[in-house]
Amino acid sequence: MSDLPARISVREVGPRDGLQNEEPVPTAAKVELINRLSATGVRRIEAVSFVRPDAIPQMADADQVWHEIDRAPSVRYSALVPNLKGAARALDSGLTEIEAVVSASDTHNRKNVNRSTAESLDDIASIIEQAHARGATCQVIVSTAWGCPYEGDVPVERVVGVAGRAVASGADSVSFGDTTGMATPGRVSRLVGEFRSIHPDFPLNLHFHNTRGTGLANVLAALELGVADFDASVGGLGGCPYAPGATGNIATEELIHMVEDMGVDTGIDLDAMIDAAADAERIIGRQLPSQVLRAGPRTRTIRA
Ligand code: COA
Ligand code: ZN
């Protein structure tokens, strides 16, 4: 394990991926959570998404949230966009970092954004152009990269093909999203290996959900391949309370807790992130799945 990256970059996605799957919370609570996260040492936060307010009411106040948070100079804030209109809204709001999302499987892409994968890829080429024209960066998130809840396994060649189209369109980076937690470490190695064999140095982020308990194992497999950029959500926020089995992203504090003990620096204060997770729990009003939040760091002792 001596070849693990010395440090990784963590993007906190709880305020977007987490909160979009919870019962809607008041704007002030979102602002409080983002401000809290901004003080943990985390350097990237996906704060909101600019989507149809009637499709995802949880993000209807994206513009207001974006304007009300205290933006820390040490933090890069970003927004997810599903289409051209979302990109225009984000750029008009002053975002300088956006993520355009497309699913590798057609069925999921149609359910999620009402387009075929090919249509979304065409739109994304213009989104990238518009972002760059306005001095912003654009990452392309390839969802259902390890499987689709409707189609099952998605062939690696298809996922790499979709990502390749994003690279060719000028994306600043690519993210592979394990939307419903279908990845396992072997599949992570295969997809990352295939992508890297074609685009060896292209910036790559990985986004895991812990739906089937393989989240941190997937991170470890990726670390061993030198991937150094991961999404995580505070407390493991996310997962619809009304969808049986659905869970959130890997918990940020669990990610920090594991990798820091392996000598991989995150720049994030673990105790501050655990406190933020406790806050998130209070805001959401239900117990979050993070085990490090429950048990505390491994060095926490109890009185004998
Ligand atoms: N933000 C706000 N409004 C939007 C919008 C956006 N990003 N995109 C479209 N609209 C509006 C249009 O202006 C139009 O409004 P009108 O009827 O008042 O004229 C209406 O929505 C229909 O536009 P259309 O282009 O046909 O969109 P659509 O109905 O095909 O919806 C998406 C497409 C992408 C906007 C919608 O499916 C969506 O919001 N999906 C997000 C899913 C998501 O967040 N998933 C989780 C993250 S991966
Ligand atoms: Zn996700």
Side-chain angles (χ1 to χ4, degrees):
M1 294 205 173
S2 54
D3 288 341
L4 298 187
R7 66 189 57 80
I8 59 170
S9 178
V10 176
R11 177 169 56 196
E12 169 59 52
V13 298
R16 197 282 302 171
D17 204 0
L19 292 185
Q20 83 180 8
N21 286 305
E22 302 281 353
E23 287 291 291
V25 300
T27 306
K30 295 178 187 174
V31 171
E32 182 195 341
L33 179 63
I34 295 171
N35 288 347
R36 190 74 199 249
L37 289 165
S38 298
T40 61
V42 75
R43 293 188 192 91
R44 293 153 72 208
I45 299 177
E46 191 184 61
V48 290
S49 60
F50 289 90
V51 295
R52 261 186 84 155
D54 51 344
I56 312 276
Q58 289 90 335
M59 293 290 131
D61 56 357
D63 195 56
Q64 204 183 340
V65 169
W66 170 243
H67 283 107
E68 286 184 14
I69 56 174
D70 297 323
R71 282 175 231 154
S74 56
V75 180
R76 286 157 50 196
Y77 300 90
S78 64
L80 178 139
V81 303
N83 60 2
L84 281 156
K85 165 120 190 204
R89 285 179 60 204
L91 296 169
D92 286 347
S93 287
L95 268 292
T96 55
E97 195 162 327
I98 61 174
E99 289 103 32
V101 65
V102 56
S103 307
S105 73
D106 242 9
T107 313
H108 188 270
N109 204 62
R110 284 184 196 281
K111 297 250 185 211
N112 197 39
V113 300
N114 201 20
R115 306 272 183 286
S116 69
T117 299
E119 286 167 335
S120 278
L121 283 169
D122 287 342
D123 285 351
I124 283 174
S126 332
I127 290 174
I128 294 169
E129 229 173 73
Q130 288 175 27
H132 289 174
R134 296 173 69 168
T137 62
C138 181
Q139 174 176 86
V140 176
I141 297 175
V142 183
S143 293
T144 62
W146 283 280
C148 166
Y150 308 102
E151 294 182 20
D153 281 333
V154 179
V156 168
E157 310 78 64
R158 179 166 169 94
V159 182
V160 172
V162 170
R165 181 75 203 282
V167 174
S169 299
D172 294 280
S173 58
V174 160
S175 171
F176 287 133
D178 185 22
T179 314
T180 52
M182 293 167 72
T184 60
R187 291 176 186 277
V188 170
S189 304
R190 224 167 302 146
L191 177 56
V192 170
E194 281 296 318
F195 179 74
R196 283 271 170 80
S197 70
I198 305 171
H199 311 282
D201 300 314
F202 201 77
L204 179 64
N205 162 282
L206 299 180
H207 173 108
F208 294 119
H209 282 252
N210 201 32
T211 320
R212 292 174 176 82
T214 54
L216 287 183
N218 294 334
V219 169
L220 186 54
L223 282 174
E224 284 174 344
L225 297 172
V227 177
D229 184 345
F230 297 94
D231 283 356
S233 75
V234 62
L237 204 61
C240 178
Y242 303 107
T247 60
N249 300 84
I250 54 171
T252 314
E253 60 280 10
E254 292 189 348
L255 174 65
I256 302 164
H257 181 260
M258 181 182 83
V259 302
E260 293 267 355
D261 192 55
M262 298 170 76
V264 177
D265 181 33
T266 64
I268 305 171
D269 182 309
L270 176 59
D271 290 328
M273 190 56 78
I274 291 174
D275 288 348
D279 256 21
E281 219 168 42
R282 184 177 46 74
I283 285 168
I284 298 305
R286 72 171 178 100
Q287 189 168 312
L288 293 176
S290 166
Q291 289 172 284
V292 168
L293 171 59
R294 293 270 86 70
R298 52 179 288 287
T299 49
R300 182 185 288 176
T301 52
I302 49 174
R303 213 187 293 250

